[in-house]
């Protein structure tokens, strides 16, 4: 169905500037895009600013696949993870229309048929992938799944080393270098993200705030605090304490009250990462190394516990209440992934979006935590035609930068879902540096799980878990190709 629009698309693209890629029969000579030097890759990060612009090309051979089908496996859409990665007809929805136009461009360029298969995020997609690999079949050319299950697949030896796939060039701006650099194992890349999809961006951790409660309590502008490098944990909790009140007057903290902060267990990892810390870091060889058994981590974690256990101000045990409290005007701050902005747009209460606060003002930047259910792309180990995978995947990512990312980031997040211009500007800061922690996603030795519960002792856990963590790391790496 998409191909019937290719002739029209080609005519339209004649009139646009050269920075737009064309539907041509020679990918390496005509497909160009403009990006900024020094960016982090993946244009949703707002990289194009004062940096010098450079022209990038889609360096692919002239290819005709005679209508061959390219199949992407991804999740069905969720509130927190939009898994649709292809669309077969024009749509009034910006993301769907962008997916449609991206598909038309790639299909015309390579004479392929792009399609997708969807199933439930996590275990179900993993099972489909594992069954495919075990059988030596190739039902899926690329796979999108949650960070946790993608790591499980990588550790089980189900994933191809993407560095060995010709034509996927991870140095190009349409690939997210935060993801590429932080998820490398032994210097090799098995999980990647970028402009090829939006489901790696949907699960960025942010803070929502209610404008009415800021004004009612005569509090400082959260936007000004962020811009002036004053948005810290202490400031957030001071403001939360001011706004908190027993709204129904029954003397008991319950869902009828107004809270200062509503959050849940993912906020543990978001907090230590906002302090610039990780459970696992990569050494100079790319080997995963346990990095949370330090005095610094214990000191930071102690303050995380104080924040999370402050039941007078914080509601931290009811995931659903985070959404309802924001929609019903019952919390000053709520932490969730950025995908929820789409749900909150129907709320009668004005809300703003800001990055998660710094541990202290001397932290060099705002670190944006990538939550467990964000998705990345993998390739099945047993795929028999990696040249086909490389060429089509690179084209999908390239045209994703042209169509999909602007529709998602500029049209929807910055314009449609945000309530004010300040929130739109905050998104640039939020996307500027995305933090991926292999220790969170692999959860080696169940360290992340153990440290995401009330009453955990990092010193005691480190002493009891460090040996099993290192064994789990060795087992995972032994399966890599």
């Amino acid at each position: 169905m998409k191909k019937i629009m290719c002739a029209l698309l080609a005519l339209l693209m004649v009139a646009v500037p050269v920075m737009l890629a064309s539907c041509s029969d020679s990918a390496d000579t005509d497909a160009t895009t403009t990006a900024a030097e020094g960016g982090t890759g993946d244009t949703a990060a707002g990289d194009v600013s004062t940096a010098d612009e450079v022209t990038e090309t889609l360096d692919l051979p002239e290819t005709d696949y005679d209508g061959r089908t390219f199949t992407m496996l991804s999740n069905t859409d969720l509130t927190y993870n939009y898994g649709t990665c292809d669309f077969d007809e024009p749509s009034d929805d910006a993301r769907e229309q962008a997916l449609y136009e991206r598909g038309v461009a790639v299909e015309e360029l390579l004479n392929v048929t792009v399609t997708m298969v969807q199933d439930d995020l996590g275990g179900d997609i993993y099972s489909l992938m594992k069954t495919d690999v075990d059988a030596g079949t190739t039902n899926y050319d690329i796979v999108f799944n949650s960070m946790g299950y993608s790591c499980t697949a990588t550790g089980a030896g189900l994933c191809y080393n993407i560095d060995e796939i010709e034509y996927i060039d991870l140095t190009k701006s349409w690939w997210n270098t935060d993801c590429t650099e932080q998820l490398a194992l032994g210097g090799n890349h098995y999980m990647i993200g970028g402009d090829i999809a939006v489901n790696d961006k949907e699960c960025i951790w942010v803070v929502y705030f209610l404008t009415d409660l800021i004004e009612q309590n005569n509090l400082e502008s959260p936007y000004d605090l962020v811009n002036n490098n004053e948005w810290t944990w202490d400031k957030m909790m001071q403001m939360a304490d001011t706004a908190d009140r027993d709204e129904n007057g029954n003397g008991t903290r319950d869902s009828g009250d107004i809270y200062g902060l509503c959050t849940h267990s993912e906020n543990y990892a978001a907090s230590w990462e906002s302090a610039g810390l990780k459970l696992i870091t990569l050494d100079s060889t790319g080997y995963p190394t346990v990095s949370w058994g330090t005095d610094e981590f214990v000191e930071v974690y102690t303050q995380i516990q104080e924040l999370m256990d402050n039941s007078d101000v914080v509601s931290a045990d009811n995931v659903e209440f985070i959404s309802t409290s924001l929609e019903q005007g019952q919390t000053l701050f709520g932490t969730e992934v950025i995908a929820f902005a789409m749900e909150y747009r129907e709320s009668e209460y004005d809300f703003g979006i800001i990055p998660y606060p710094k541990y202290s003002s001397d932290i060099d930047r705002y670190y944006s935590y990538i939550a467990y259910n964000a998705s990345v792309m993998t390739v099945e180990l047993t795929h028999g035609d990696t040249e086909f995978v490389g060429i089509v995947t690179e084209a999908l990512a390239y045209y994703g930068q042209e169509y999909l990312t602007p529709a998602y980031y500029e049209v929807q997040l910055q314009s449609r879902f945000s309530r004010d211009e300040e929130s739109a500007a905050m998104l640039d800061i939020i996307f500027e540096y995305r933090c991926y922690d292999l220790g969170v996603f692999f959860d080696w030795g169940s360290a992340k799980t153990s440290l995401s519960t009330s009453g955990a002792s990092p010193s005691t856990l480190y002493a009891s878990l460090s040996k099993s963590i290192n064994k789990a790391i060795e087992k995972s790496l032994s399966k890599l190709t």
Side-chain angles (χ1 to χ4, degrees):
M1 185 178 295
K2 286 179 291 206
K3 284 188 176 180
I4 65 174
M5 296 295 293
C6 284
L8 176 60
L9 179 67
L11 289 173
L12 290 173
M13 296 185 80
V14 170
V16 299
V18 68
M19 66 179 289
L20 297 182
S22 63
C23 268
S24 71
D25 55 4
S26 180
D28 56 347
T29 58
D30 291 324
T32 62
T33 190
T34 301
E37 285 185 332
T40 61
D42 185 342
T43 51
D47 295 327
V48 180
S49 54
T50 58
D52 294 333
E53 289 189 345
V54 294
T55 299
E56 291 183 295
T57 58
L58 180 60
D59 301 318
L60 299 178
E62 186 174 335
T63 307
D64 185 333
Y65 283 112
D66 195 26
R68 180 176 172 180
T69 298
F70 184 92
T71 303
M72 300 178 281
L73 174 61
S74 186
N75 62 279
T76 52
D77 296 339
L78 298 163
T79 304
Y80 54 85
N81 188 311
Y82 180 79
T84 297
C85 52
D86 184 53
F87 212 75
D88 280 335
E89 57 189 29
S91 172
D92 292 333
D93 179 83
R95 278 188 292 191
E96 293 173 351
Q97 178 65 16
L99 286 167
Y100 168 73
E101 292 176 350
R102 190 267 298 270
V104 170
V106 173
E107 290 184 352
E108 174 68 10
L109 181 72
L110 303 173
N111 193 12
V112 294
T113 300
V114 178
T115 189
M116 68 174 176
V117 173
Q118 291 180 285
D119 210 319
D120 290 341
L121 185 72
D124 286 359
I125 292 178
Y126 174 81
S127 295
L128 290 175
M129 180 181 184
K130 187 176 188 304
T131 298
D132 213 25
V133 172
D134 288 346
T137 53
T138 307
N139 288 312
Y140 318 107
D141 294 293
I142 57 176
V143 178
F144 297 99
N145 203 1
S146 66
M147 289 293 329
Y149 276 94
S150 294
C151 285
T152 299
T154 299
L158 303 180
C159 301
Y160 211 98
N161 179 358
I162 293 172
D163 297 315
E164 296 180 357
I165 298 179
E166 192 175 8
Y167 300 115
I168 295 181
D169 186 350
L170 297 179
T171 68
K172 298 289 191 179
S173 64
W174 42 86
W175 296 110
N176 175 9
T177 55
D178 287 342
C179 178
T180 301
E181 292 172 358
Q182 297 176 57
L183 295 183
L185 290 166
N188 297 321
H189 302 96
Y190 302 87
M191 301 170 283
I192 60 176
D195 294 314
I196 194 168
V198 301
N199 51 6
D200 64 323
K201 306 166 190 64
E202 292 276 81
C203 286
I204 299 176
W205 200 249
V206 297
V207 176
Y208 297 92
F209 69 86
L210 292 180
T211 305
D212 288 349
L213 290 181
I214 291 290
E215 295 174 352
Q216 291 171 17
N217 291 279
N218 296 314
L219 296 170
E220 298 164 87
S221 163
Y223 301 128
D224 290 344
L225 292 171
V226 173
N227 290 327
N228 294 331
N229 195 37
E230 297 173 349
W231 179 232
T232 63
W233 295 5
D234 285 345
K235 177 60 71 173
M236 178 175 70
M237 294 308 293
Q238 289 170 11
M239 297 170 72
D241 185 60
T242 300
D244 172 72
R245 66 175 180 264
D246 182 10
E247 183 73 359
N248 56 20
N250 64 3
T252 301
R253 302 299 289 145
D254 56 31
S255 59
D257 294 330
I258 291 180
Y259 284 83
L261 171 65
C262 286
T263 188
H264 61 76
S265 60
E266 283 289 295
N267 207 57
Y268 283 93
S271 295
W272 68 61
E273 290 188 17
S274 76
L277 302 177
K278 291 185 178 184
L279 300 184
I280 296 290
T281 55
L282 299 172
D283 66 17
S284 59
T285 68
Y287 193 90
T289 303
V290 180
S291 57
W292 56 276
T294 63
D295 291 342
E296 180 186 13
F297 187 91
V298 172
E299 178 183 344
V300 169
Y301 189 82
T302 299
Q303 295 190 46
I304 296 173
Q305 287 181 315
E306 292 176 0
L307 185 157
M308 296 295 289
D309 292 342
N310 187 349
S311 58
D312 288 337
V313 175
V314 178
S315 174
D317 59 357
N318 188 335
V319 175
E320 291 184 2
F321 187 58
I322 298 174
S323 294
T324 59
S325 62
L326 283 164
E327 292 170 338
Q328 297 172 9
Q330 289 183 261
T331 187
L332 175 63
F333 299 120
T335 65
E336 250 304 349
V337 296
I338 205 164
F340 276 79
M342 182 174 183
E343 178 177 327
Y344 299 152
R345 66 178 174 161
E346 303 298 335
S347 172
E348 64 180 277
Y349 296 96
D350 285 336
F351 67 89
I353 305 172
I354 51 178
Y356 193 74
K358 296 181 178 183
Y359 170 63
S360 62
S361 59
D362 59 355
I363 299 294
D364 61 342
R365 67 182 75 193
Y366 292 99
Y367 290 92
S368 295
Y369 167 61
I370 302 298
Y372 183 88
N373 281 317
S375 293
V376 283
M377 189 202 96
T378 59
V379 177
E380 293 179 346
L381 179 65
T382 52
H383 200 293
D385 190 351
T386 56
E387 180 180 283
F388 175 66
V389 170
I391 288 174
V392 181
T393 297
E394 189 75 353
L396 285 166
Y398 172 86
Y399 284 107
Q401 184 181 81
E402 187 63 50
Y403 296 107
L404 180 57
T405 298
Y408 172 70
Y409 188 72
E410 298 168 13
V411 176
Q412 292 200 319
L413 281 183
Q414 287 194 318
S415 299
R416 188 177 177 192
F417 298 159
S418 298
R419 294 291 185 94
D420 51 47
E421 292 182 2
E422 290 90 345
S423 281
M426 289 295 109
L427 291 170
D428 289 340
I429 297 174
I430 290 164
F431 276 84
E432 184 177 8
Y433 189 86
R434 285 164 271 181
C435 198
Y436 297 80
D437 187 344
L438 287 165
V440 169
F441 305 135
F442 273 99
D443 199 14
W444 286 307
S446 298
K448 184 263 184 179
T449 299
S450 300
L451 289 166
S452 298
T453 57
S454 179
S457 168
S459 298
T460 301
L461 285 170
Y462 182 77
S464 63
L465 294 178
S466 57
K467 185 178 292 186
S468 62
I469 292 171
N470 285 318
K471 286 184 178 179
I473 291 173
E474 291 176 7
K475 182 177 179 181
S476 294
L477 295 186
S478 70
K479 299 289 184 69
L480 302 181
T481 58

